[in-house]
């Protein structure tokens, strides 16, 4: 964790939240009690700050300072409002292309996806506040700086974001093996939001129930799946191909 993107100490984290800082995640020592910790927990829940309980050994690895049982990371980027971003994209007369990451957890995969998204003209990336990969130093490095060029939206629930996109005339396509359709059967030249799932379980089944389309990549080897960033690249560049040949 980069020290310049780190806050330690209960009071310091509490003040950062109250000041409106972009807190990416807070690590809390297990069984940490006290009035000030209770106040921090209350503030994190009120402001929907992502946090997790960890052993004290992890906190000690993050910093050698007096952390008081709490260490936080500050996001190096500011997040965008999804409604404003979608509205601005529609008004730009460009064919919208959005990317939804359904609880992707690895920061390096996230960075690699952001890099490809920037290269393929993605208008914005949508992630869920809870359970998603952080925007940290690994993300920035793996994205080759593209994280500063692609708008990222954090939403409470992925399904609400999908409903909003659909109501805005943007169709949703989930990358999943649970379909007979390949990516080449789907019209990606229209306003589209592509949904990629987490590394371990793919797109959530509850999300698959509400998407407009499902598509998979044809696989001919013995390994049954691709790395999510590689699969995402294949989906995005097929979208580019269709739009260039339309």
């Amino acid at each position: 964790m980069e020290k310049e993107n780190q806050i330690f100490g209960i009071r310091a984290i509490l003040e950062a939240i109250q000041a409106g800082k972009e807190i990416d995640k807070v690590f809390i020592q297990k069984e940490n009690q006290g009035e000030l910790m209770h106040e921090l927990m209350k503030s994190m829940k009120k402001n929907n700050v992502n946090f997790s309980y960890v052993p004290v050994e992890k906190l000690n690895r993050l910093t050698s300072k007096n952390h008081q049982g709490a260490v936080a990371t500050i996001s190096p980027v500011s997040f965008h409002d999804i409604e404003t971003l979608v509205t601005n994209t529609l008004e730009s007369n460009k064919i919208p292309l959005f990317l939804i990451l359904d609880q992707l957890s690895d920061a390096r995969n996230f960075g690699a996806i952001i890099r490809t998204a920037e290269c393929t003209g993605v208008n914005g990336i949508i992630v869920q506040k809870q359970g998603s990969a952080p925007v940290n130093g690994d993300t920035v490095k793996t994205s080759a700086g593209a994280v500063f060029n692609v708008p990222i939206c954090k939403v409470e629930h992925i399904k609400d974001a999908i409903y909003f996109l659909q109501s805005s005339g943007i169709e949703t396509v989930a990358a999943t093996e649970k379909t007979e359709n390949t990516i080449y059967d789907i019209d990606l030249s229209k306003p589209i939001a592509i949904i990629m799932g987490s590394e371990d379980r793919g797109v959530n089944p509850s999300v698959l129930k509400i998407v407009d389309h499902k598509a998979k990549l044809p696989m001919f080897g013995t390994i049954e799946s691709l790395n999510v960033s590689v699969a995402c690249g294949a989906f995005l560049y097929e979208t580019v191909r269709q739009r260039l040949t339309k």
Side-chain angles (χ1 to χ4, degrees):
M1 186 187 299
E2 290 67 23
K3 304 304 179 185
E4 64 269 21
N5 292 329
Q6 184 185 97
I7 308 174
F8 54 86
I10 300 173
R11 172 61 66 185
I13 297 172
L14 184 59
E15 290 177 353
I17 294 172
Q18 292 172 344
K21 296 290 186 182
E22 293 281 4
I23 305 296
D24 195 69
K25 189 167 186 177
V26 181
F27 298 94
I28 301 293
Q29 181 181 337
K30 291 180 179 178
E31 300 177 355
N32 196 337
Q33 303 293 328
E35 184 177 340
L36 197 57
M37 177 58 73
H38 177 74
E39 187 179 348
L40 175 60
M41 296 299 299
K42 184 178 179 181
S43 181
M44 288 192 299
K45 291 176 181 177
K46 178 182 177 182
N47 291 278
N48 298 306
V49 174
N50 191 15
F51 69 92
S52 63
Y53 293 103
V54 297
V56 67
E57 290 80 9
K58 179 175 177 64
L59 298 178
N60 293 337
R61 289 195 301 269
L62 294 175
T63 180
S64 60
K65 306 292 185 180
N66 180 22
H67 51 67
Q68 301 174 310
V71 178
T73 55
I74 303 176
S75 174
V77 300
S78 296
F79 297 102
H80 293 248
D81 174 70
I82 184 174
E83 295 187 11
T84 302
L85 180 60
V86 171
T87 299
N88 291 342
T89 301
L90 291 171
E91 290 177 351
S92 70
N93 293 322
K94 297 177 182 177
I95 301 174
L97 174 57
F98 289 96
L99 189 57
I100 300 174
L101 304 180
D102 184 12
Q103 295 191 304
L104 189 85
S105 60
D106 187 276
R108 286 167 294 184
N109 278 336
F110 192 14
I113 286 173
I114 294 170
R115 184 173 184 174
T116 305
E118 201 273 345
C119 292
T120 52
V122 168
N123 299 114
I125 298 175
I126 300 162
V127 299
Q128 188 165 284
K129 287 183 178 180
Q130 295 291 334
S132 295
V135 180
N136 59 18
D138 283 338
T139 314
V140 174
K141 183 177 180 180
T142 314
S143 77
V147 69
F148 301 113
N149 300 331
V150 181
I152 300 174
C153 302
K154 277 194 172 184
V155 298
E156 297 295 337
H157 303 289
I158 290 295
K159 289 197 289 186
D160 288 341
I162 290 172
Y163 287 134
F164 174 70
L165 289 167
Q166 290 170 332
S167 69
S168 301
I170 299 169
E171 296 185 12
T172 51
V173 181
T176 176
E177 294 299 309
K178 300 173 182 177
T179 181
E180 295 301 315
N181 295 323
T182 72
I183 186 175
Y184 310 113
D185 299 319
I186 307 297
D187 183 0
L188 300 171
S189 65
K190 302 181 291 185
I192 285 291
I194 296 170
I195 306 165
M196 304 301 300
S198 63
E199 294 88 346
D200 56 344
R201 59 178 174 79
V203 179
N204 194 296
S206 64
V207 170
L208 290 176
K209 291 179 181 179
I210 65 172
V211 299
D212 298 294
H213 309 282
K214 302 171 191 173
K216 64 182 179 181
L217 292 168
M219 304 289 290
F220 301 105
T222 56
I223 296 176
E224 296 181 353
S225 64
L226 291 168
N227 171 276
V228 63
S229 67
V230 175
C232 185
F235 268 79
L236 289 175
Y237 268 100
E238 172 59 16
T239 304
V240 170
R241 186 197 68 80
Q242 289 190 22
R243 293 183 177 195
L244 287 175
T245 57
K246 192 70 173 180

